[in-house]
């Protein structure tokens, strides 16, 4: 199968009108009148960002979801995406078919069609790079910079699930020792954590709430504490955050009860793909209503001079040994 | 050096205003009023698309240039690009500094600033993926489909240099046998061919001519014969092309004289990054004037029923054993 056949068979069915059937040199997008274009790109490498043996539909969905998560954090409406895929020599049509199905399912669900890309061979691991485009009304992209003293801080969904899911996958796939908290979880809880690691859920449903109310936002991809510190630095402010208020899934809460040493890990590990944002206090009621219960207040922005203070399990100030995960 | 330091040091200086200092989750581009956005993405892998030992500034320039070449073929004005780079463990600050300089030089020269991207580690070879954005007045992107019987066919620059440059690099870097034509070339001619392989020159200067006059266009990246066949298929037409009219550099012409067996290779190998286009006969004078001598007429579009006929060195119909190079 040559590259043109492969594209026609697996990727062209995913293309939106702007993809021109993936038969031209480029894609063509007509931005909505008065809109600005929001652009983000993330690369994922087998063995670094996912396990080569992960389900192909999950690998595909993750590659797209981490980009959609950035669009969601900027309150952008998806317009489409481009994918470059470097395939190792041992790829099979079966693998690619399931990969394309996973990609297409999330693309349809998030109204973010494939626009173009490139398929190449690699002697190395499977490597994916996605660039996603969104649109915002001019001047309305939510930045990292913009949080002001007095703003409330919110986070969507639950934090720390993916870190625990990764530990479970390591034990399963790489023979790493089973984590000490594993016996405290039932099968459904373990499956929940693994699913949260495998397939992030981009929080695009928050876009109206963020656009209406947020003063600053970013997605939590490298650990809540480190990412929040980045948002505060960009905004030139400090904050007091009570991590006991941070939202945990029942599975993560059970793991934490079994192993209190997890506390710091939950808030400093990668792959949450939740939205962290700030909103002025007078916007709080409206924001929470528009968000429909999908966010949790975790603290308040203060002056830069007060620094970034995280309260730990005993209500005392927590000093992270390492507040952020790095894939690099 | 962590990822944030690396970005701040090497890539942030290349960022245009839309890149927001590479300190947010996303880039923000305000498209010109009434414009449509043209998007293209290409991935390059060390050992597949370039030699790992190629000069870092040439690797960087090639990665951007192949994308700019697609924008040029669509008559799009560059708006910016996103880069994802997967770095093997043995990268050095010196390497990255020269890489960034090469990238920045071409970005400035082509008014195509860096907008964003991602930097990740890989256990495999250096892998680059660039998505480039351009703009066209609404409805004015030049497609592959659009050539009509009677149109003249043109190609920019010279064809086949990169294929010969690649053969010289293989002999130099991989100990492949020296090509039989090498002794017919002087040092400057050999250097010209190698440079043409290492650093394509995107033909952005042709944009006004293409936008004013072309009925169809694409860039020649995988071999003139195969790419022209793709353009003809997309347009639903045939053509008669006299390859004796195809433009050769003095170096390629000298090699061909020394080894007439090169003829088919020159027109079916990759990495030319020239523009192939069609223009109605009544546009020919204007097109050639606007192009300023940078294009050569190579044939004429005919009905689909006539097929794609390539005339070879003796004026007879040439049947390519393989009309197109594939990196996949």
């Amino acid at each position: 199968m040559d590259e043109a056949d492969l594209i026609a068979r697996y990727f062209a069915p995913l293309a939106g009108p702007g993809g021109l059937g993936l038969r031209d040199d480029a894609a063509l997008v007509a931005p909505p009148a008065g809109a600005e274009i929001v652009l983000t790109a993330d690369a994922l490498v087998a063995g670094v960002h996912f396990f080569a043996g992960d389900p192909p539909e999950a690998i595909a969905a993750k590659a797209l979801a981490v980009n959609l998560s950035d669009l969601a954090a900027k309150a952008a409406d998806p317009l489409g995406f481009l994918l470059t895929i470097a395939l190792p020599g041992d790829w099979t049509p079966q693998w690619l078919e399931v990969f394309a199905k996973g990609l297409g399912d999330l693309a349809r669900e998030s109204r973010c069609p494939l626009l173009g890309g490139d398929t190449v061979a690699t002697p190395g691991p499977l490597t994916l790079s996605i660039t996603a485009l969104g649109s915002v009304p001019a001047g309305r992209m939510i930045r990292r910079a913009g949080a002001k003293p007095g703003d409330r801080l919110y986070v969507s969904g639950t934090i720390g699930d993916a870190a625990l899911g990764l530990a479970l996958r390591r034990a399963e796939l790489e023979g790493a020792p089973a984590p000490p908290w594993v016996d405290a979880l039932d099968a459904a809880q373990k499956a929940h954590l693994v699913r949260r690691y495998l397939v992030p859920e981009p929080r695009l449903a928050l876009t109206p709430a963020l656009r209406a109310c947020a003063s600053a936002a970013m997605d939590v991809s490298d650990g809540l504490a480190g990412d929040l510190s980045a948002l505060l630095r960009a905004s030139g402010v400090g904050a007091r955050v009570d991590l006991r208020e941070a939202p945990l899934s029942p599975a993560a809460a059970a793991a934490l009860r079994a192993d209190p040493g997890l506390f710091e890990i939950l808030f400093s590990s990668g792959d949450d793909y939740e939205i962290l944002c700030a909103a002025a206090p007078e916007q709080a009621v409206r924001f929470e209503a528009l968000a429909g219960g999908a966010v949790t207040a975790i603290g308040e922005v203060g002056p830069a001079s007060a620094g970034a203070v995280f309260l730990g399990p005993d209500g005392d100030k927590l000093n992270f040994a390492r507040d952020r995960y790095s894939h690099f």
Side-chain angles (χ1 to χ4, degrees), chain A:
Chain A
M1 194 179 303
D2 74 6
E3 186 187 351
D5 294 335
L6 185 155
I7 291 169
R9 179 158 176 187
Y10 298 110
F11 293 127
L14 280 54
L20 308 175
L22 308 188
R23 283 191 299 266
D24 210 306
D25 301 62
L28 185 63
V29 169
E36 289 174 338
I37 306 293
V38 176
L39 294 140
T40 181
D42 277 303
L44 284 81
V45 179
V48 179
H49 302 86
F50 58 88
F51 296 98
D54 282 345
E57 70 276 21
I59 295 170
K62 185 169 201 164
L64 180 53
V66 302
N67 282 284
L68 291 171
S69 179
D70 283 316
L71 292 185
K74 306 290 100 181
D77 297 312
L79 287 172
F81 71 101
L82 294 94
L83 164 72
T84 66
I85 177 169
L87 282 169
D90 62 356
W91 74 275
T92 65
Q94 292 72 21
W95 188 94
L96 204 56
E97 190 173 333
V98 181
F99 177 89
K101 183 176 183 321
L103 194 64
D105 286 348
L106 181 57
R108 252 189 317 281
E109 186 188 313
S110 38
R111 299 183 187 184
C112 188
L114 182 62
L115 294 173
D118 194 15
T119 306
V120 299
T122 180
L126 174 67
T127 303
L128 304 163
S129 176
I130 284 184
T131 298
L133 277 77
S135 70
V136 288
R140 301 293 294 283
M141 190 182 94
I142 312 297
R143 313 258 180 133
R144 286 190 188 180
K148 290 180 183 57
D151 283 359
R152 305 225 177 133
L153 289 166
Y154 292 93
V155 70
S156 68
T158 57
I159 294 295
D161 295 329
L164 303 181
L166 172 57
L168 293 173
R169 289 292 278 171
R170 283 217 168 106
E172 184 188 349
L173 294 178
E174 295 185 334
W181 41 266
V182 71
D183 294 331
L185 273 61
D186 63 29
Q189 288 175 320
K190 286 185 268 193
H192 173 78
L193 297 176
V194 168
R195 196 169 56 245
R196 290 277 287 156
Y197 167 71
L198 285 176
V199 187
E201 295 170 63
R203 302 303 186 188
L204 292 162
L206 285 179
T207 293
L210 290 167
R211 203 177 281 169
C213 306
S215 55
M218 71 183 291
D219 85 326
V220 182
S221 55
D222 298 329
L224 178 64
D227 286 341
L228 177 53
S229 297
L231 184 145
L232 298 173
R233 269 196 310 277
S235 297
V237 295
R240 183 179 175 87
V241 174
D242 191 341
L243 289 173
R244 295 170 300 181
E245 304 292 325
L248 297 183
S249 69
L256 180 60
R257 278 193 301 273
D259 179 5
L262 283 178
F263 193 87
E264 196 172 320
I265 291 168
L266 293 174
F267 303 115
S268 59
S269 300
D271 284 335
D272 286 319
Y273 299 105
E274 295 293 349
I275 305 295
L276 172 68
C277 70
E282 64 272 20
Q283 295 284 355
V285 170
R286 187 171 174 223
F287 177 67
E288 292 174 25
L290 285 171
V295 295
T296 303
I298 55 169
E300 192 177 309
V301 178
S305 57
V309 176
F310 295 96
L311 303 184
D314 50 9
D316 290 342
K317 188 176 164 179
L318 184 68
N319 291 305
F320 284 88
R322 192 200 65 180
D323 68 357
R324 201 167 191 193
Y325 181 78
S326 174
H327 281 119
F328 181 70

